[in-house]
Amino acid sequence: APGCIENKYTKLTLAKALRILEQKVTENPENADNYCHLLGNAWFNLSYYGAAWNGLDYERSYVWGSQEEESRTNFTDLSRARNYYRQSINEAKTDELAALSALMFAKCEVVQSEPYEVPYGIKGYDMLLAEYEGTEAYRKALDECRYFLVYSRR
């Protein structure tokens, strides 16, 4: 497919690319908001829940609550992604980027909640509702994200 980057990285080149982005956050503070958003996307997509999960692991399926789960805690932990999204929100120069980062922050919260329920107390959704209602990201989230639509109607 055009634009597809499948197999673009090895585990080593991926680690190097992530390290370069991390360095850019401090070396280029005027663009730190964008770099943090990109790092949040990277860590989300490299997790169990993301499209690029095989960038960090060789197998995806296992039984929740099993002994195998304990060995994969880093694979399902989204704290790095959430931390980068939070930093992007805090440093965002535009409401659009802040709203997009808040939406992704919420996605991290939702995927780790009980399946098939719209949970209460999703901080990312609360931020979107309170601070970014006029953004394109907000409008797009209402159109494309059923969880957010239901959450916003409570």
Side-chain angles (χ1 to χ4, degrees), residues 25-53:
V25 170
T26 54
E27 292 172 359
N28 193 348
E30 63 274 3
N31 291 319
D33 54 348
N34 289 310
Y35 294 132
C36 287
H37 185 79
L38 290 173
L39 282 161
N41 287 347
W43 286 110
F44 179 85
N45 282 302
L46 289 167
S47 77
Y48 176 86
Y49 311 100
W53 61 269

Side-chain angles (χ1 to χ4, degrees), residues 8-76:
K8 178 179 179 179
Y9 295 103
T10 66
K11 289 186 184 341
L12 177 61
T13 59
L14 176 62
K16 286 179 179 180
L18 289 172
R19 183 68 187 126
I20 288 168
L21 267 179
E22 288 171 349
Q23 289 171 335
K24 286 182 176 186
V25 170
T26 54
E27 292 172 359
N28 193 348
E30 63 274 3
N31 291 319
D33 54 348
N34 289 310
Y35 294 132
C36 287
H37 185 79
L38 290 173
L39 282 161
N41 287 347
W43 286 110
F44 179 85
N45 282 302
L46 289 167
S47 77
Y48 176 86
Y49 311 100
W53 61 269
N54 56 351
L56 293 182
D57 210 341
Y58 293 104
E59 125 186 349
R60 189 178 199 177
S61 64
Y62 66 100
V63 178
W64 292 102
S66 69
Q67 291 177 348
E68 191 178 351
E69 180 180 354
E70 187 174 323
S71 69
R72 298 195 180 231
T73 304
N74 290 334
F75 191 46
T76 59

Side-chain angles (χ1 to χ4, degrees), residues 103-123:
L103 181 62
M104 290 305 297
F105 186 93
K107 187 172 182 176
C108 292
E109 295 175 286
V110 169
V111 298
Q112 292 191 304
S113 63
E114 289 297 316
Y116 310 113
E117 283 183 26
V118 177
Y120 288 93
I122 299 296
K123 294 174 188 171

